Amino acid sequence: MSDTGNVSGSRASGNASPPAAATAAAQTVSRPRLLVVAALLVLASLVVGVLVGRVTSGSVAPTPTELSAEAGFARDMQVHHGQAVEMALIVRDRSTDPAIRLLALDLATAQTQQQGQMFAWLITWGLPQTGREPEMQWMSRPVIDASAGHDDHAGHTPGEPMPGVASFEQMQELASLTGVEVERYFLELMIVHHLGGVEMAEAVLARSTNPLVTDLAEGMVRAQSKELDYMSELLAERS
Amino acid sequence: MADNTSATPGSGSGSGSGSANSLTIKQQREKRRGEKVAALKVKQARAKRNQKLGLAGAIVGGVAVVGLLVGIVVTSATPPVDPATIEIEGLQTFDNIDSVHVQSTVEYEMTPPAGGPHNPSWLNCGTYEEEVPAEYAVHSLEHGAVWVTYDPELVSGADLETLRNAMPNTYMMLSPFTGLDSPVVASAWGAQVALDGVDDPRLGDFIVKYRNSPNVPEPSGLCSQALDGPGRIS
């Protein structure tokens, strides 16, 4: 019965489409299209989500890459800190002055801890501690916003030593002195060393928006600027 | 029910009133029907075309979105150079190395030593013009330093200068070593590669892979303020 009805109905469909048949037809037409639209919506929302997440959340800063300022800073500042720690330990061994020995202890422990942070960044970022290009190369690259005035230093000339580092001969000299002489020489070397450290920290602040990196760099600028004043006082007392 | 009623006028074609007049009406009906069918076909064709266009558009859009996503991921994160993925031809590695402190001299299983028992004191990193005591250098390897040794008979002058310039400033020891099987050998804690010469590209790979590695027993242990070996020049 229903068969016959349907057949005759479809023959006559030129005049009036039977509702049931029309619905079935509409379904077969729109099912794949619906799927595609749904998939598109999912993808579009993913894209929007990723973009919004990137823009709004600082914690999803992209992982720094091999040639980034962040990686260069993490490597070179570890070396820079390493020499400061070495100088502090030398003067702590060779001086009996409580103020100098306490400053040296403060500096050596604080900078060793910061070295550890930078060491761990590189591991987290999946990068080797040693770069493929010469040290300080990252500081010869352009800043993010030249008008921001973060960094007065035009950059670093490749091949020149890291700012503020003492030479091999100066380190040998430091390790040969005692008493007020080692204190004075330590203060002179460390003041120059800190000025260079501040320069490097400011250079990465001008080249990075990664909060992990900028927070530590800002802390270095604050702490080392404060220590610069203190060391100048200590040096004046010994001149 | 509705089917039957609506079908009745159309299905009356074969029944009753067979006059000329009714034929014309029938022809008119056929004509009208033909027009309707044609119109319907056009409509269907258009719908089909739109559907195809829609589908094609959706596919193109989908591909574009996927492309955009892939693009974002690729550009924002160039693959990191994980040290573990750096392949070095001819690399030898040694597992389960003893790291006990001893005051005596040690017979090492590799030449030069790439780990093992060592002196409580370590060798200060730097460039040496003379041979250095291995028991101290091995301790520095344990702290993450890389030790580059060269055969002084085969490497001198400009070649030696090239080698010295290839050394990073810290966590590196460079010294002559007699009895090497190749001109230059690079060693780290538990790893070693024999190199063909001072410009062997594997030297850079080895330094990047192992210098200051987090996988040594004492990562970032000091490489200064202990023993200055003989002939240290930097």
Side-chain angles (χ1 to χ4, degrees):
Chain A
M1 265 301 276
S2 66
D3 259 0
T4 335
N6 268 345
V7 170
S8 69
S10 57
R11 265 187 199 150
S13 66
N15 280 342
S17 316
T23 314
Q27 270 170 3
T28 50
V29 165
S30 60
R31 195 171 290 138
R33 190 183 252 181
L34 210 76
L35 278 175
V36 169
V37 168
L40 260 181
L41 277 175
V42 168
L43 280 173
S45 52
L46 262 176
V47 169
V48 170
V50 165
L51 291 177
V52 168
R54 247 161 216 279
V55 170
T56 56
S57 169
S59 62
V60 287
T63 302
T65 50
E66 172 64 18
L67 301 182
S68 64
E70 289 88 350
F73 176 76
R75 288 168 180 148
D76 292 343
M77 195 52 109
Q78 280 191 70
V79 173
H80 203 265
H81 272 28
Q83 195 187 53
V85 171
E86 191 178 347
M87 292 197 283
L89 293 177
I90 289 173
V91 81
R92 198 173 149 79
D93 275 350
R94 306 184 72 82
S95 163
T96 52
D97 183 89
I100 293 286
R101 298 191 77 238
L102 188 65
L103 170 68
L105 182 66
D106 187 10
L107 211 149
T109 49
Q111 296 214 359
T112 302
Q113 192 270 6
Q114 291 181 344
Q115 277 180 292
Q117 289 189 53
M118 295 181 279
F119 187 82
W121 291 348
L122 289 165
I123 296 173
T124 311
W125 298 337
L127 297 173
Q129 301 291 329
T130 308
R132 290 272 178 191
E133 53 177 17
E135 64 179 25
M136 302 302 296
Q137 198 76 31
W138 62 275
M139 255 176 83
S140 62
R141 297 217 176 87
V143 299
I144 293 173
D145 180 7
S147 64
H150 234 321
D151 145 275
D152 306 328
H153 330 286
H156 182 79
T157 312
E160 293 208 341
M162 216 177 269
V165 295
S167 67
F168 174 64
E169 290 75 20
Q170 286 173 318
M171 293 300 286
Q172 301 283 89
E173 168 83 1
L174 182 69
S176 72
L177 301 173
T178 52
V180 73
E181 286 192 327
V182 76
E183 292 162 18
R184 202 183 295 130
Y185 197 46
F186 165 77
L187 291 167
E188 285 169 7
L189 290 180
M190 191 58 86
I191 285 171
V192 175
H193 201 275
H194 266 33
L195 288 171
V198 169
E199 186 183 332
M200 284 168 69
E202 282 178 344
V204 82
L205 286 171
R207 289 169 178 80
S208 174
T209 54
N210 186 308
L212 203 62
V213 175
T214 55
D215 283 358
L216 187 69
E218 279 165 6
M220 285 178 190
V221 172
R222 270 197 306 274
Q224 297 196 21
S225 302
K226 194 184 68 189
E227 281 168 0
L228 274 168
D229 294 340
Y230 182 51
M231 288 193 291
S232 299
E233 284 172 32
L234 291 174
L235 184 59
E237 288 168 13
R238 284 160 181 78
S239 297
Chain B
M1 277 300 276
D3 273 359
N4 277 342
T5 11
S6 71
T8 311
S11 63
S13 54
S15 69
S17 50
S19 68
N21 200 20
S22 74
L23 259 177
T24 333
I25 289 167
K26 197 182 171 188
Q27 280 170 344
Q28 281 174 351
R29 274 185 186 161
E30 289 290 347
K31 195 184 170 203
R32 269 206 304 275
R33 178 182 287 172
E35 283 167 355
K36 276 184 182 172
V37 166
L40 192 72
K41 274 184 179 161
V42 168
K43 202 177 163 188
Q44 279 173 341
R46 194 184 297 135
K48 207 166 188 179
R49 198 191 60 217
N50 284 347
Q51 190 189 340
K52 271 185 184 163
L53 275 176
L55 200 70
I59 289 168
V60 168
V63 167
V65 168
V66 169
L68 188 65
L69 264 178
V70 169
I72 287 174
V73 169
V74 165
T75 54
S76 65
T78 17
V81 219
D82 193 322
T85 63
I86 298 174
E87 302 272 352
I88 299 169
E89 203 193 320
L91 179 74
Q92 281 188 284
T93 55
F94 313 93
D95 295 329
N96 304 317
I97 300 173
D98 191 4
S99 59
V100 70
H101 286 182
V102 294
Q103 294 284 357
S104 57
T105 52
V106 181
E107 285 291 318
Y108 290 101
E109 54 174 300
M110 348 68 173
T111 309
H118 49 264
N119 195 277
S121 178
W122 55 91
L123 183 74
N124 290 337
C125 282
T127 304
Y128 291 88
E129 283 183 319
E130 297 173 34
E131 299 213 17
V132 295
E135 291 77 11
Y136 292 73
V138 168
H139 195 161
S140 296
L141 297 183
E142 192 195 28
H143 291 183
V146 165
W147 185 15
V148 175
T149 46
Y150 57 92
D151 184 338
E153 301 278 307
L154 299 175
V155 177
S156 61
D159 281 349
L160 185 52
E161 207 49 43
T162 303
L163 197 54
R164 286 176 179 167
N165 289 336
M167 298 294 113
N169 286 325
T170 58
Y171 285 89
M172 282 300 308
M173 299 174 287
L174 176 66
S175 72
F177 197 103
T178 28
L180 294 180
D181 286 335
S182 44
V184 181
V185 179
S187 309
W189 185 268
Q192 191 165 73
V193 65
L195 303 167
D196 299 332
V198 296
D199 44 14
D200 191 322
R202 292 174 295 169
L203 175 61
D205 289 341
F206 189 88
I207 291 173
V208 168
K209 189 175 173 75
Y210 290 109
R211 179 180 164 271
N212 245 325
S213 165
N215 303 318
V216 296
E218 295 169 11
S220 300
L222 281 180
C223 196
S224 62
Q225 301 184 70
L227 179 76
D228 259 347
R232 183 175 174 204
I233 56 164
S234 75

